[in-house]
Structures are given as structure tokens and as C-alpha cells.
Amino acid sequence: MKLTENPNSVRNISVVGLGKLGAPLAACLAHRGYQITGVDLDDTKVQAINEGIPTVFEPGLKELLQSTRERLSATKDLEGAIHNSQVTFILVPTPSEVQGGFSLRHVVPVCERIGDALRKKSDRHLVVLTSTVLPGSTANEVMPILEKRSGKRCGREFGLCYSPEFVALGNVIRDLLSPDFILIGESDPRSGDLLASVYKGLCENDPPVARMNFVNAELTKLSVNTFVTTKITFANMLARICERLPGANVDVVTSALGLDSRIGAKYLKGAIGYGGPCFPRDNLALAALARGVNATATLAEATDSVNRQEVRRLAKLVQSKLPVNGVVGILGLSYKPNTDVVEESQGLLLAQILLAEGISVAVYDPAGMKNARKVLDGSVVFAESTEACAQVADVIVIATAWEQFKRLPPAILTRNNARRVLVDCWRVLDARTYGPIVEYFPLGVGTNVEIG
Ligand SMILES: NC(=O)c1ccc[n+]([C@@H]2O[C@H](COP(=O)([O-])OP(=O)(O)OC[C@H]3O[C@@H](n4cnc5c(N)ncnc54)[C@H](O)[C@@H]3O)[C@@H](O)[C@H]2O)c1
């Protein structure tokens, strides 16, 4: 697809950090006609992008990289990339800090080098920070570094925006091309206009653009994720109530609840806790921010605390159903379907809790096995398939709603005549098929769960 109606002159964009977010963003921008230079420290990522090979697991990325090879190249040369582009997106990691904030230890050296390059560049350049940062970071830390190293004034001689993306891993390409909205924190209107026009060229839909100063944009980013974690936790609370209420079913309740336009249906499936690389840490960061300014952090703290209890409660249920010397089979280690990311996933946390109790665990995930091995290697059985995992287990837990798990062959479950227990956290299976052949526990359904 060609860039047809970009109302500004931006053609050349650089993207620094070719990871889970940067590689798809670079590919999507190239797909929409921009000329992209990707920059990464990691030789293997640079080489992979230049060969059209994905650097990360993300559905659709391979096809985009292959179809955009003439418009997308990668390099380690950050200065060269700045000179050859008009706009630079920064998507390097911002690891969480113990007290709940985000470290800028990867952002700072990138900004120093960008500042050095801007000193030698006569054309105006726009720097876009897309990595997640704590409110205050863009104005108080990023901007001064760029100004000092470039010797130029932000907003006059170069532009700076803070513009996070709202994407879910597994859906990153669709989310980048058709976002609900665009968020721009801007140093000055000219910079905001320019970035809005870049997004106009990127998006296949026509999303509203929310433009504001840096601190409001930084706060909005954390607020979106914290609102969603609160919503998930609310749905999980309903699920726990339904389990103790004869005749209740959380899906029935939440599908009606979601019809209220004040509430909405998304992220309202009562199941188990949230995980992944963004939700838990953004929620904690908002709490840390609130504490840091002497505001109340109770709601965000409660969400985190309730969420952490979910997996402990699940472990208790599993243990209560496990025969002596029994094996637990965990289906699903990625924190959601269609990703290989296992960070803070409920399946992985469940495995760790059970292992600490001396329980034997077998695991299977369609994409997350490699990453799970880095954490669990040597302590669990890594099954080759859904069926192999189910077959060795006395209690099977479906912890992630992968499509594959919906096709769990009933015949496997009756093999050896053992009556297995099946805990279906996401209610992906049909109770009428599986109920008669296993002890079936769909979470969120009345009177099915007997735990303290
Ligand atoms: N992954 C998501 O879904 C998501 C969503 C919203 C926001 N974010 C934010 O985006 C940022 C990036 O996240 P990610 O998941 O893509 O990280 P990632 O770890 O997958 O990728 C980061 C990339 O940056 C590269 N890098 C590190 N230092 C560099 C440097 N000095 N120069 C060039 N490259 C460098 C790394 O080699 C890596 O390829 C984080 O702040 C994250 O919080 C991520």
C-alpha cells in the first residue's frame, strides 16, 4: 500500500528499538508508504529485519516485513538514522523499578546520542518518545538531555512529543493500523501537527487525536491501563461471587453489564488475574505516582493486591482436587493467546506456586514454551502438545484461552479410566461435552467451586 494523502512532507522516519512494539511499528509505517530506518543495539535484530525476518512473535509481522523490504532497513547507526529521517520514534525498554516507577537507563543514552546528532543537523527534527515513562519524565529528564546535547531549544529548533501506543500483544498490527484514539503530548503545536499527520498516514481508520502537554499524556497512558486492570479485577470479583451463588454465571452477568454504554463489553470476562509486560507494572506505577505526590493510591493498590490473590486462590483449588502424588497439567503459559510472552502470566505463576509446594507440574503452550523454559527449566515436564500435557495430568488447568485448547480431544481425558479434574479458567470448553467425562470446574459458574 502506498502513502497517498499524507498532508505533510514527512517521508523518512527512524524507529529506535526493534522489539515487541518497535518492530511492528516500523513495519506498519513502511506498509503505509513511509521510508523507515530501524535502529537497534542488537546485531541479530538488525540482521533479521534486513532479511525480512520477525524479531519478535507477533501475528502478521512476518508478512508485513516481507512485503515492505524496499522501504524498511535496519542499522546500529543511530546518528546516521537521525540524519536520514525527519521523525524518530523511541521504543527502547523502560524497566520497572522496585518502588514502582520506570527506569530511563535505556532512554537516556539514546537521547544523548540523538541530541549529539541534532547538533550537526540543520533541518528541524521531531523526536517522539513512545516508551512508557512516569509523568514528569519527558519534560524534566528527556527534554533537558536533548537540549543540552544538541545545543538547541525544544519547541523551536527541534520538536518533542510523548506518544504511547495502545496495543495488545497478539493484535499489535491491527491496533497500530486501526487504533481507538491517538494520544499526543507535544512541546509545541507545530510538533503536534506533524506527528498527527504522521499518524494520519499510518492509520487505516480515522481515530480521534487527543493532544495535550507532556504530563497529561504521560498520566493518560498509565490511566488507560490502570482503568482496564480495575475493570478486569471487577469482572473477576463478579466471577468469584458467581461461584458461590447457585445458578449464577458470570458470562450471563457481564454480557448484560457490557451493554451499558457507560461500561462497555471489552475486558469484562470474569476469569483469572491479568499479567503481561504492561498491565501489572502500569498499575503499580500509577500507585507509586499517587504516593509520590501524596495523593491516594488505594484503588490502584487494591487492584494489584486482589489480582495477586487470584492465582493463589487458583492454586488452592487445584491442590484441593489433586490426588496424592498427582500431576497438574497447565495449558497456557503466555499471558494471553497469540503471544509468546510469559511475563507475569497466570499459568507461569501457578506453576511456580505449585512447584514450591512440591507438586509435579506438566506444561504446554502453543507459543510460550521457549520463554517459559528460561524460567521453569528443569522443574516441570514440558509436554509436546495439548494432548500430551492433558494425558499425564490428574488435574488439568486451562490458564490461557488459546484456540487450540478449545479442541482438547475428549478421548484423551478418558484414557487410563482415570477421572480427571479439569479447571477451565476461561470457560472455553462446552460443559455438556466435558462435564460427563471429567470433574469439570468452569470458573465463574455457581456452586462449581468449593474452596475457602
Ligand atoms: N510491548 C507492548 O505491548 C508495549 C505496549 C505499550 C508500551 N510499551 C512500551 O514500549 C517500550 C518498549 O517495549 P517493548 O515491549 O517493545 O520492548 P522490547 O524489550 O521488546 O524491545 C526493546 C528493543 O530496544 C532495543 N534497545 C535497547 N536499548 C537500545 C538502544 N540504546 N539503542 C537501540 N535499541 C535499543 C532492544 O535491543 C530491543 O530490541 C517500553 O517502554 C514498554 O513499556 C510496550
Side-chain angles (χ1 to χ4, degrees):
M1 194 176 297
K2 287 273 171 235
L3 188 61
T4 49
E5 47 170 315
N6 189 2
N8 67 82
S9 58
V10 172
R11 290 255 144 206
N12 298 298
I13 297 176
S14 43
V15 175
V16 186
L18 298 171
K20 295 185 286 298
L21 193 50
L25 179 65
C28 285
L29 286 164
H31 168 67
R32 298 289 286 159
Y34 292 104
Q35 198 66 39
I36 305 301
T37 309
V39 183
D40 206 290
L41 287 175
D42 184 338
D43 286 310
T44 54
K45 289 196 172 150
V46 169
Q47 195 182 340
I49 294 288
N50 284 329
E51 290 171 4
I53 299 167
T55 49
V56 291
F57 178 99
E58 186 57 45
L61 180 59
K62 186 173 173 200
E63 293 74 12
L64 272 195
L65 287 175
Q66 305 224 319
S67 65
T68 57
R69 290 186 66 180
E70 72 205 34
R71 286 192 297 279
L72 171 56
S73 63
T75 176
K76 290 173 79 176
D77 176 13
L78 177 56
E79 285 76 8
I82 300 299
H83 281 284
N84 293 327
S85 61
Q86 296 139 291
V87 178
T88 301
F89 285 86
I90 302 173
L91 295 106
V92 297
T94 46
S96 296
E97 289 182 321
V98 186
Q99 59 276 29
F102 303 108
S103 164
L104 297 179
R105 67 174 185 267
H106 300 289
V107 171
V108 167
V110 167
C111 291
E112 287 172 346
R113 289 174 60 202
I114 292 176
D116 292 344
L118 293 184
R119 186 178 280 276
K120 298 181 214 141
K121 188 175 175 183
S122 52
D123 294 340
R124 189 181 154 107
H125 196 91
L126 174 63
V127 180
V128 183
L129 179 63
T130 298
S131 300
T132 307
V133 296
L134 263 194
S137 305
T138 309
N140 302 328
E141 299 184 66
V142 171
M143 189 172 80
I145 293 170
L146 290 168
E147 287 192 322
K148 185 166 170 232
R149 297 293 279 243
S150 66
K152 295 181 175 175
R153 286 282 306 280
C154 180
R156 289 174 56 178
E157 292 149 297
F158 71 91
L160 176 62
C161 289
Y162 172 71
S163 182
E165 309 291 350
F166 297 96
V167 297
L169 295 181
N171 279 318
V172 174
I173 288 166
R174 201 188 61 201
D175 292 345
L176 286 172
L177 293 175
S178 296
D180 283 350
F181 75 113
I182 298 292
L183 177 62
I184 298 178
E186 60 197 45
S187 56
D188 60 289
R190 182 176 166 192
S191 300
D193 285 348
L194 191 69
L195 183 56
S197 74
V198 169
Y199 279 122
K200 193 169 171 53
L202 170 67
C203 296
E204 291 176 345
N205 61 345
D206 187 18
V209 182
R211 290 174 56 174
M212 54 196 74
N213 65 18
F214 294 142
V215 74
N216 284 321
E218 292 161 331
L219 184 56
T220 304
K221 151 69 180 160
L222 294 185
S223 310
V224 167
N225 277 356
T226 305
F227 194 91
V228 175
T229 57
T230 311
K231 193 173 178 187
I232 293 169
T233 306
F234 184 88
N236 286 343
M237 176 189 76
L238 287 179
R240 302 298 83 86
I241 293 171
C242 286
E243 286 158 6
R244 287 166 172 76
L245 213 52
N249 182 323
V250 72
D251 287 331
V252 176
V253 177
T254 55
S255 14
L257 197 58
L259 296 175
D260 188 315
S261 64
R262 292 170 301 176
I263 299 173
K266 289 183 181 171
Y267 290 91
L268 203 57
K269 183 154 180 92
I272 48 174
Y274 58 80
C278 289
F279 280 159
R281 78 191 200 114
D282 284 6
N283 188 94
L284 285 172
L286 191 71
L289 172 75
R291 285 193 301 272
V293 296
N294 284 328
T296 307
T298 323
L299 181 60
E301 286 169 350
T303 299
D304 184 66
S305 154
V306 171
N307 192 61
R308 286 180 199 281
Q309 286 162 31
E310 290 290 347
V311 68
R312 304 218 151 263
R313 182 190 160 279
L314 180 62
K316 243 169 108 182
L317 167 66
V318 168
Q319 278 179 272
S320 73
K321 297 291 165 195
L322 195 65
V324 177
N325 295 328
V327 176
V328 178
I330 301 176
L331 293 175
L333 298 169
S334 58
Y335 82 98
K336 66 189 283 297
N338 301 321
T339 178
D340 65 349
V341 174
V342 301
E343 212 172 319
E344 296 225 28
S345 84
Q346 299 292 292
L348 192 80
L349 294 174
L350 177 64
Q352 288 174 321
I353 293 172
L354 296 174
L355 289 170
E357 296 285 330
I359 292 167
S360 303
V361 176
V363 296
Y364 176 71
D365 188 277
M369 298 294 262
K370 193 170 156 211
N371 286 333
R373 271 182 205 281
K374 294 177 196 159
V375 187
L376 297 176
D377 211 9
S379 56
V380 300
V381 173
F382 286 92
E384 303 253 298
S385 63
T386 309
E387 292 78 9
C389 184
Q391 207 160 357
V392 296
D394 299 284
V395 176
I396 301 160
V397 182
I398 300 180
T400 313
W402 278 97
E403 278 301 314
Q404 285 90 328
F405 300 155
K406 298 179 184 170
R407 298 189 293 270
L408 182 63
I412 295 277
L413 301 172
T414 49
R415 207 163 286 175
N416 306 337
N417 282 338
R419 190 164 167 83
R420 291 176 163 86
V421 176
L422 204 163
V423 181
D424 186 354
C425 300
W426 294 90
R427 301 173 296 286
V428 298
L429 300 177
D430 186 344
R432 286 166 301 186
T433 306
Y434 293 87
I437 55 173
V438 293
E439 228 183 302
Y440 182 61
F441 287 94
L443 296 191
V445 178
T447 67
N448 267 321
V449 179
E450 310 140 15
I451 54 166

